[in-house]
């Protein structure tokens, strides 16, 4: 059976950021989507399996752009968790200045207790930051896993986020964290992969990431499953 190829370039207006890291070995490079964002790598080491983040001060950053400020979004990331410690809070991707609840649009992270989390935030005080969690502490850390989460901007509640992990829809635990009915702003902050970037590098991630995709719309479960099936064959999972 011939191994399927993973696209080096994808033209999809809703795919605002596409980074097949196993093909992008440079200190700075352009994203391989329709927008060609300039991407900067700080410290993360390239390997044939993607970028390896050391959990200390490595990150990849993408400057803000209008297309990166969505009303709904979807994040898909492949990660090998061999170096991640489940007792730590480690940011996968953030659109923020700090980890404070008043300084971010969203944060996607592996959290204390072995959870995979999406946190979206209302910046204007009073801070409101609902979260959706799924326990991944039992995952095989020496294997690649695919994490996809979509979020629809509404008066947020438990049903406004869809999480698909390794091609399966999972049931998440929702925590309102003071959120009521106010809209959550999408601010002009940079996107950072592997940490929260502001005045310092915070909550760094220790793992290897071969692929990251960011859509400016929510995706349906079947779309997530289809992408997983294609990419798992490429990665040999």
């Amino acid at each position: 059976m011939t191994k399927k190829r993973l696209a080096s370039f994808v033209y999809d207006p809703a795919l605002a950021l596409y980074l097949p890291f196993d093909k992008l070995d440079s200190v700075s490079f352009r994203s391989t989507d329709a927008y060609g964002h300039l991407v900067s790598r700080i410290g993360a080491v390239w390997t044939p399996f993607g970028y390896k983040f050391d959990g200390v001060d490595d990150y990849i950053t993408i400057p803000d752009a209008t297309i990166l400020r969505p009303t709904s979004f979807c994040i898909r990331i492949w990660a090998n968790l061999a170096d991640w410690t489940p007792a730590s809070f480690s940011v996968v991707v953030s659109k923020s200045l700090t980890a404070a609840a008043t300084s971010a649009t969203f944060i996607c992270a592996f959290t204390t207790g072995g959870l995979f989390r999406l946190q979206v935030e209302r910046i204007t005080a009073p801070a409101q930051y609902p979260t959706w969690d799924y326990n991944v502490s039992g995952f095989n850390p020496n294997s690649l896993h695919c994490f996809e989460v979509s979020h629809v901007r509404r008066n947020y509640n438990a049903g406004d986020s869809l999480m698909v992990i390794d091609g399966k829809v999972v049931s998440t635990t929702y925590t309102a964290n003071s959120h009521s009915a106010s809209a959550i702003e999408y601010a002009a902050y940079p996107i950072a992969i592997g940490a929260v970037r502001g005045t310092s590098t915070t909550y760094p991630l220790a793992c290897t990431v071969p692929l990251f995709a960011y859509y400016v719309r929510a995706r349906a479960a079947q779309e997530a499953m289809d992408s997983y099936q294609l990419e798992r064959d490429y990665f040999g999972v």
Side-chain angles (χ1 to χ4, degrees):
M1 181 177 175
T2 302
K3 180 180 178 179
K4 295 179 181 178
R5 298 181 62 187
L6 193 63
S8 296
F9 173 85
V10 174
Y11 179 74
D12 175 353
L15 180 54
L17 190 57
Y18 182 65
L19 297 168
F21 285 137
D22 63 331
K23 298 180 173 70
L24 300 171
D25 176 16
S26 183
V27 173
S28 63
F29 46 87
R30 295 283 179 179
S31 59
T32 57
D33 45 65
Y35 304 96
H37 303 282
L38 181 62
V39 181
S40 298
R41 170 174 63 91
I42 309 298
V45 176
W46 185 86
T47 77
F49 307 103
Y51 279 107
K52 184 178 178 65
F53 298 85
D54 65 3
V56 178
D57 56 5
D58 293 351
Y59 64 94
I60 288 173
T61 186
I62 303 95
D64 177 61
T66 301
I67 187 63
L68 299 178
R69 300 177 216 160
T71 55
S72 297
F73 65 87
C74 172
I75 294 165
R76 183 171 77 259
I77 190 164
W78 281 81
N80 185 309
L81 306 180
D83 298 318
W84 173 56
T85 302
S88 65
F89 185 95
S90 305
V91 170
V92 179
V93 59
S94 62
K95 195 175 196 308
S96 63
L97 291 181
T98 72
T102 55
S103 301
T105 292
F106 64 75
I107 292 174
C108 197
F110 296 112
T111 78
T112 304
L115 305 177
F116 178 65
R117 169 175 295 173
L118 172 67
Q119 177 174 311
V120 295
E121 303 185 359
R122 179 174 184 266
I123 300 162
T124 304
Q128 301 171 350
Y129 48 101
T131 61
W132 291 260
D133 293 325
Y134 183 74
N135 194 318
V136 298
S137 60
F139 281 28
N140 179 358
N142 297 310
S143 172
L144 273 175
H145 299 281
C146 180
F147 304 87
E148 178 161 331
V149 59
S150 284
H151 188 73
V152 180
R153 182 180 182 181
R154 292 199 290 260
N155 290 332
Y156 297 139
N157 56 51
D160 288 337
S161 181
L162 172 70
M163 196 175 288
V164 181
I165 298 182
D166 290 342
K168 298 178 181 179
V169 176
V170 298
S171 179
T172 57
T173 299
Y174 173 72
T175 305
N177 288 324
S178 302
H179 186 263
S180 55
S182 301
I184 293 177
E185 297 95 341
Y186 289 81
Y189 296 153
I191 288 178
I193 301 169
V196 171
R197 276 297 297 161
T199 55
S200 61
T201 305
T202 53
Y203 301 107
L205 174 69
C207 78
T208 300
V209 176
L211 184 144
F212 176 79
Y214 174 68
Y215 298 81
V216 288
R217 67 173 177 84
R219 298 217 308 165
Q222 190 59 55
E223 292 179 286
M225 295 174 191
D226 291 344
S227 292
Y228 172 74
Q229 292 300 327
L230 172 65
E231 291 162 0
R232 72 175 295 192
D233 183 74
Y234 174 79
F235 290 127
V237 175

